[in-house]
C-alpha cells in the first residue's frame, strides 16, 4: 500500500501530537529487568557522563530507560526523525540533528561539545549508513 505525500504528512502530524503519550503508556506495561544498572547509577551519582548504545530495534526502550538523565542523542534530519525528536525532547534529551549525509560533521562537533559539557550520550550505532 503506497501512501500519498498528503497521507504521510497527516500521519506524521498525528505522530508528533500523540506518539510520546502512547509510547509512555506502552512502555509502562513492559516488564524490565536491569542487569548491572548499578554501574550507571554510580556514574550518575559521581556526575560522570557515559555512552549508552542500543540497536534501532530496541531504541525506544533504550531511550525510555535513560530519559530525564542528562543525555544527548543524535537524530536524523528526516521527516521521520521529527517524530523521534519530539519524543526525545519530551523525555528531556538534548537532541542533535544530523546524519552522515546531512550535517554530520556539525552534529558530531556538537555531540562532542555536549559530552565535554557533562551530557551523557545515547546512540544507535546501526544506522542506515
Amino acid at each position: 500500500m503506497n501512501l500519498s505525500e498528503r497521507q504521510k504528512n497527516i500521519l506524521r502530524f498525528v505522530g508528533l501530537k500523540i506518539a510520546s503519550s502512547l509510547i509512555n503508556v506502552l512502555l509502562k506495561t513492559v516488564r524490565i529487568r536491569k542487569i548491572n544498572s548499578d554501574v550507571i547509577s554510580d556514574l550518575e551519582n559521581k556526575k560522570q557522563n557515559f555512552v549508552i548504545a542500543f540497536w534501532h530495534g530496541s531504541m525506544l526502550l533504550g531511550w525510555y530507560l535513560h530519559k530525564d538523565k542528562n543525555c544527548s542523542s543524535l537524530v536524523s534530519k528526516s521527516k521521520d526523525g521529527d517524530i523521534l525528536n519530539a519524543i526525545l525532547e519530551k523525555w528531556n534529551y538534548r537532541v542533535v540533528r544530523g546524519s552522515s549525509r546531512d550535517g554530520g560533521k556539525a552534529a558530531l562537533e556538537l555531540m562532542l561539545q555536549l559530552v565535554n559539557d557533562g551530557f551523557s550520550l545515547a546512540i544507535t550505532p546501526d544506522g542506515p549508513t
Side-chain angles (χ1 to χ4, degrees):
M1 177 174 122
N2 290 335
L3 296 175
S4 70
E5 194 59 35
R6 183 172 186 269
Q7 290 170 321
K8 289 179 186 177
N9 287 336
I10 290 170
L11 287 174
R12 282 188 195 99
F13 176 78
V14 170
L16 283 168
K17 295 299 179 191
I18 66 171
S20 66
S21 297
L22 289 176
I23 290 168
N24 277 325
V25 169
L26 173 69
L27 291 175
K28 286 181 182 185
T29 68
V30 173
R31 184 175 300 169
I32 300 169
R33 185 179 73 168
K34 295 180 181 181
I35 300 171
N36 294 330
S37 61
D38 56 321
V39 174
I40 292 176
S41 294
D42 289 345
L43 291 172
E44 291 171 338
N45 291 336
K46 294 175 184 175
K47 304 289 185 205
Q48 292 181 324
N49 54 357
F50 51 89
V51 176
I52 295 290
F54 38 82
W55 304 123
H56 272 85
S58 62
M59 68 180 180
L60 286 178
L61 182 58
W63 277 313
Y64 180 78
L65 290 173
H66 300 285
K67 67 180 185 171
D68 301 319
K69 294 194 178 200
N70 199 42
C71 286
S72 60
S73 189
L74 180 65
V75 175
S76 76
K77 290 183 176 182
S78 69
K79 290 180 181 180
D80 291 338
D82 291 344
I83 296 170
L84 182 57
N85 180 65
I87 293 167
L88 293 179
E89 284 183 345
K90 287 184 180 179
W91 288 348
N92 295 316
Y93 276 82
R94 177 68 186 267
V95 179
V96 176
R97 302 294 299 267
S99 66
S100 59
R101 292 189 197 146
D102 187 9
K105 182 181 179 196
L108 176 61
E109 289 170 353
L110 183 51
M111 294 298 289
L112 290 171
Q113 183 60 50
L114 288 169
V115 168
N116 288 331
D117 290 344
F119 282 85
S120 293
L121 178 61
I123 59 170
T124 53
D126 65 335
T129 303

